[in-house]
């Protein structure tokens, strides 16, 4: 096995995803297959080969420092799931039950 | 409107001569869509009222005789944001999302007076090769409704191939325009990275994504690409390279053109019927005066591995924004902020999206970064170098678009690795940022086979010229699918 269920569960927590036991088993099997597939890259000699993270010739692209009008707040709020008085509403950020 | 009997030029003539108005054309288009949708299932959202209103406005102004796109209906992949028109990326996460702005390509299509008739089905967040990961519906192949339309732009391809529209836009991250074009027997172009603005394209893998057109003919494709290309201040990766008229020189032929066929593209894993069609295509190009020779792209076999690491890594980062706070799905009955994140994401994303987020998060995490992400980014360099070497001596690369014809609905969806390997012939193009186009090149078992042409960066004109020459010499593009028992 290239990856264990425990490692998959850890990665899930980093990605803010939760899996039940059945899902975890399925995902571990599939992740294992995928990782085995991509691990064939290890046979390629990449000594001193630079990385490619983009394929444009552009470097920093700057615009003139001129103020432009932003987006209307009401418009920005259109797709907010829950709001009150023009603010985005979320549940308690500080969980009183832990370490408080 | 019988789109099988028209192209952009003939429709434009009808509009200019007032044989049909833009409103009548749009109405007829919706009538056709409603007749075929029960069989094809290509659209997620129709834009009927607004489209008809736009058509009336265009009629009132009069059709611009110099603008071949004026008043022509077009379909849009549902990961391209459309102001006030639901845009879902085929995900439960964005089921009720109404964008407050238009993607740059939408502004450009509006400037060209094209009429957006609706949003097309796709794999969720463009992750998939069969459009089966859509949270909403299964689109069918135009030629056989038991087969997949390909993906991720399956709706965009099926809509054009079934004659619902004459043109559509899709996006291509690892083959998502070219493979569905091949599976549906139409023309699909992935332009050079940086040719078309990604502003307003819901990001999957930002160093690979590119928007491009689907059409039934090569020339129509060039005409739509003319309208959507160009540098955009809102996408810093768009290029300052001048945008030529892509139809210019399209009929100049391929005499003297040097075409390379990578031996890896006709190797193991490519079905015999596909190989036979591509070998026939090679003969056609030789007859037309091109010089065709075998070359090698030795690192192309690693493309799939490189792609799934890089695309998934970028996706895991891009999809962090879906947290249930500012827009998108928020899980009900959550008590803490952590629960908002975890439950909204776990309930809002489908399995394929979760697999990619997981692989990406894994590839970027401490302890695996060097062996996975960095290694993949290094092998990507070698893949780019392979292409550069070939283009020192050749104008074009030729090969199949997909290793097989369209497979059955449900056949591969539970086997991610087999599904991923299906992209082996299209992925390297994205990794190197090159333009690639699929055009019809034959049939097997009643299903279309696609020919892929790949050019150096910003040489889309060469693709169109070669594609047009091939199209004029063959009749595959004239075949018409049977939709629900009616041709």
């Amino acid at each position: 096995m290239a990856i264990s269920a425990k490692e998959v569960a850890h990665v899930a927590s980093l990605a803010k995803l939760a899996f039940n036991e059945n899902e975890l088993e399925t995902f571990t099997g599939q992740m294992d297959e995928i990782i085995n597939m991509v691990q064939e890259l290890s046979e390629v000699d990449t000594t001193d080969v630079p990385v490619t993270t983009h394929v444009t010739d552009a470097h920093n692209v700057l615009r003139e420092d001129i103020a432009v009008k932003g987006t209307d707040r009401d418009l920005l709020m259109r797709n907010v799931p829950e709001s009150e008085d023009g603010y985005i509403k979320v549940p308690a950020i500080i969980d009183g039950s832990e370490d408080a | 409107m019988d789109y099988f009997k028209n192209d952009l030029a003939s429709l434009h003539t009808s509009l200019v001569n007032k044989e049909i108005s833009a409103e009548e054309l749009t109405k007829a288009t919706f009538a056709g869509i409603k007749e075929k949708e029960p069989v094809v299932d290509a659209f997620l959202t129709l834009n009927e009222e607004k489209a008809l209103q736009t058509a009336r406005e265009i009629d009132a102004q009069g059709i611009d005789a110099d603008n071949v796109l004026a008043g022509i209906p077009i379909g849009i992949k549902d990961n391209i944001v459309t102001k006030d028109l639901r845009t879902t990326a085929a995900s439960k996460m964005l089921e009720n999302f109404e964008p407050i702005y238009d993607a740059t390509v939408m502004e450009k299509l509006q400037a060209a007076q094209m009429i957006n008739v609706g949003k097309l089905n796709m794999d969720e967040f463009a992750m998939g090769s069969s459009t089966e990961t859509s949270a909403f519906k299964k689109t069918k192949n135009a030629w056989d409704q038991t087969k997949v339309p390909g993906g991720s732009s399956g709706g965009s391809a099926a809509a054009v191939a079934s004659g619902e529209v004459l043109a559509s836009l899709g996006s291509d991250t690892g083959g998502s325009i070219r493979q569905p074009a091949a599976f549906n027997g139409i023309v699909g172009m992935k332009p050079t990275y940086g040719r078309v603005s990604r502003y307003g394209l819901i990001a999957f893998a930002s160093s690979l994504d590119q928007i491009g057109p689907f059409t039934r003919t090569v020339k129509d494709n060039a005409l739509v690409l003319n309208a959507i290309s160009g540098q955009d201040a809102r996408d810093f990766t768009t290029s300052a390279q001048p945008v030529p008229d892509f139809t210019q020189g399209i009929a100049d032929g391929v005499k003297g053109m040097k075409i390379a066929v990578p031996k890896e593209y006709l190797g193991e894993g490519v079905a015999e019927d596909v190989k036979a069609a591509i070998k026939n295509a090679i003969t056609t190009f030789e007859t037309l005066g091109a010089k065709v020779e075998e070359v090698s792209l030795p690192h192309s076999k690693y493309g799939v591995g490189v792609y799934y690491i890089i695309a998934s890594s970028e996706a895991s980062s891009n999809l962090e924004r879906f947290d249930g706070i500012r827009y998108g799905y928020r899980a009900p009955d959550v008590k803490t902020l952590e629960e908002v994140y975890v439950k909204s994401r776990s309930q809002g994303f489908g399995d394929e999206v979760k697999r990619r987020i997981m692989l990406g998060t894994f590839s970027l995490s401490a302890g695996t970064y060097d062996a996975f992400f960095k290694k993949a980014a290094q092998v990507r360099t070698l893949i780019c170098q392979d292409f550069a070497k070939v283009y020192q001596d050749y104008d074009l690369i030729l090969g199949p678009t997909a290793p097989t014809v369209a497979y059955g609905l449900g056949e591969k969806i539970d086997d991610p690795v087999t599904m991923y390997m299906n992209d082996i012939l299209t992925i390297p193009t994205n990794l190197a940022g090159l333009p690639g186009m699929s055009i019809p090149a034959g049939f097997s078992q009643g299903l279309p086979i696609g020919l892929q042409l790949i050019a150096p960066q910003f040489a889309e004109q060469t693709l169109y010229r070669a594609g047009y020459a091939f199209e004029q010499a063959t009749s595959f593009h004239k075949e018409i699918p049977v939709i629900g028992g009616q041709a």
Side-chain angles (χ1 to χ4, degrees):
Chain A
M1 292 290 280
I3 191 164
S4 67
K6 198 181 156 196
E7 286 170 295
V8 172
H10 173 65
V11 173
S13 75
L14 295 174
K16 301 277 185 230
L17 291 170
F19 297 112
N20 65 32
E21 235 168 82
N22 281 339
E23 289 170 335
L24 191 64
E25 195 182 316
T26 308
F27 265 81
T28 304
Q30 289 175 341
M31 287 277 289
D32 192 60
E33 264 186 67
I34 296 167
I35 289 166
N36 278 327
M37 173 192 81
V38 303
Q39 264 180 344
E40 68 174 25
L41 298 187
S42 61
E43 72 192 42
V44 184
D45 182 5
T46 51
T47 317
D48 300 328
V49 175
V51 298
T52 296
T53 52
H54 66 84
V55 285
T56 77
D57 49 12
H59 297 285
N60 279 334
V61 181
L62 302 174
R63 66 166 172 83
E64 291 299 313
D65 186 16
I66 301 166
V68 291
K69 201 174 179 303
T71 309
D72 178 72
R73 187 178 72 171
D74 289 341
L75 202 55
L76 280 174
M77 297 294 284
R78 185 197 284 178
N79 288 289
V80 173
E82 220 184 324
S83 64
E84 198 176 300
D85 300 333
Y87 292 97
I88 297 170
K89 204 172 167 187
V90 292
I93 289 174
I94 300 160
D95 178 359
S97 67
E98 280 175 31
D99 311 317
Chain B
M1 174 48 53
D2 188 348
Y3 280 127
F4 293 119
K5 293 196 175 113
N6 280 285
D7 61 10
L8 286 171
S10 70
L11 269 184
H12 178 63
T13 303
S14 301
L15 285 163
V16 170
N17 294 341
K18 299 196 187 322
E19 289 153 32
I20 189 170
S21 67
E23 184 180 7
E24 287 163 348
L25 175 59
T26 306
K27 275 187 177 158
T29 302
F30 279 107
I33 289 173
K34 282 169 191 170
E35 183 194 316
K36 289 168 180 170
E37 267 306 277
V39 179
V40 181
D41 276 322
F43 281 89
L44 288 174
T45 307
L46 293 180
N47 189 33
E48 193 164 2
E49 204 180 311
K50 185 83 185 297
L52 288 168
Q53 188 196 324
T54 307
R56 283 191 290 269
E57 285 164 15
I58 291 168
D59 283 330
Q61 286 173 39
I63 297 290
D64 177 357
D66 296 325
N67 174 13
V68 68
L69 301 178
I72 308 282
I74 187 167
I76 306 296
K77 188 177 182 179
D78 208 23
N79 60 349
I80 296 170
V81 302
T82 44
K83 192 178 176 194
D84 302 329
L85 181 66
R86 194 172 81 113
T87 300
T88 68
S91 180
K92 187 182 169 188
M93 184 60 89
L94 292 173
E95 189 166 6
N96 302 307
F97 181 64
E98 270 191 7
I100 60 172
Y101 67 96
D102 269 320
T104 295
V105 291
M106 295 314 298
E107 289 181 352
K108 284 178 174 281
L109 290 181
Q110 282 152 22
Q113 296 191 307
M114 290 198 93
I115 297 170
N116 170 17
V117 292
K119 306 302 289 291
L120 291 155
N121 197 25
M122 53 184 281
D123 282 295
E124 184 181 4
F125 284 103
M127 298 177 192
S129 307
S130 65
T131 309
E132 293 171 289
T133 74
S134 166
F136 305 118
K137 58 165 68 166
K138 303 265 182 280
T139 298
K140 319 301 186 296
N141 189 293
W143 295 83
D144 177 346
Q145 284 85 58
T146 67
K147 306 290 184 194
V148 300
S152 65
S153 313
S156 302
V160 170
S162 63
E164 292 183 323
V165 282
L166 203 54
S168 66
L169 292 188
S171 68
D172 189 316
T173 305
S176 284
I177 289 174
R178 291 159 288 154
Q179 183 255 26
F183 278 12
N184 284 280
I186 58 171
V187 180
M189 164 68 99
K190 182 206 89 76
T192 308
Y193 185 82
R195 182 62 99 181
V196 178
S197 171
R198 292 179 295 108
Y199 179 74
L201 173 67
I202 296 174
F204 162 14
S206 305
S207 81
L208 305 166
D209 297 342
Q210 193 64 192
I211 295 170
F214 287 93
T215 55
R216 290 187 42 254
T217 69
V218 172
K219 192 172 180 190
D220 280 3
N221 203 283
L223 289 166
V224 179
L225 187 62
N226 277 348
I228 61 170
S229 297
Q231 193 173 24
D232 180 11
R234 295 173 296 187
D235 173 3
F236 291 158
T237 63
T238 50
S239 172
Q241 287 273 340
V243 179
D245 173 357
F246 293 113
T247 64
Q248 202 182 28
I250 199 166
D252 286 356
V254 293
K255 202 167 169 44
M257 203 180 266
K258 290 183 77 181
I259 299 177
V261 179
K263 62 180 183 197
E264 294 83 4
Y265 280 36
L266 288 174
E268 205 187 334
V270 178
E272 289 305 320
D273 52 356
V274 173
K275 277 186 201 169
I278 300 309
K279 283 176 183 164
N280 284 338
I282 290 169
T283 308
T284 302
F285 275 109
E286 284 172 339
T287 310
L288 293 169
K291 191 175 173 195
V292 186
E293 285 172 346
E294 186 182 281
V295 297
S296 176
L297 293 171
H299 295 93
S300 63
K301 66 172 174 170
Y302 300 109
V304 176
V306 171
Y307 173 82
Y308 277 91
I309 291 173
I310 289 175
S312 301
S313 296
E314 294 183 19
S316 73
S317 170
N318 275 325
L319 270 59
E320 279 171 12
R321 72 192 65 180
F322 297 102
D323 57 5
I325 305 291
R326 292 154 300 150
Y327 51 84
Y329 178 81
R330 182 188 288 190
D333 306 322
V334 284
K335 293 187 188 64
T336 66
L337 191 62
E338 179 74 7
E339 274 189 353
V340 176
Y341 298 149
V342 174
K343 289 195 174 172
S344 299
R345 289 166 66 79
S346 299
Q347 293 169 18
F349 290 137
D351 281 353
E352 184 59 31
V353 173
K354 288 178 187 172
R355 267 192 290 278
R356 309 268 180 122
I357 292 174
M358 291 287 288
L359 179 63
T361 306
F362 173 77
S363 301
L364 291 173
S365 46
T368 46
Y369 178 87
D370 280 350
F372 284 80
F373 186 82
K374 188 179 169 202
K375 185 79 180 182
Q378 288 176 306
V379 180
R380 184 178 184 180
T381 303
L382 298 174
I383 289 170
C384 294
Q385 288 171 355
D386 283 355
F387 278 115
K389 202 170 155 205
V390 169
Y391 289 130
Q392 284 175 2
D393 300 314
Y394 297 90
D395 301 300
L396 271 186
I397 288 171
L398 178 159
T401 306
T404 65
V405 294
Y407 42 86
L409 282 156
E411 202 178 303
K412 295 188 180 178
I413 192 68
D414 295 321
D415 186 356
V417 169
T418 305
M419 190 75 106
Y420 295 174
M421 291 312 286
N422 206 256
D423 300 332
I424 189 162
L425 302 169
T426 45
I427 277 172
T429 314
N430 299 75
L431 292 172
L434 307 172
M437 178 169 73
S438 182
I439 57 174
F443 289 86
S444 177
Q445 310 146 55
L447 292 165
I449 293 169
L451 169 73
Q452 184 178 207
L453 300 171
I454 307 165
Q457 285 199 323
F458 301 104
E460 286 90 351
Q461 272 177 309
T462 312
L463 294 181
Y464 284 132
R465 197 174 120 202
Y468 185 82
F470 183 78
E471 188 182 72
Q472 297 307 303
T474 56
S475 59
F476 307 118
H477 65 291
K478 291 179 183 157
E479 299 287 328
I480 294 170
V482 174
I483 310 291
Q486 290 177 304

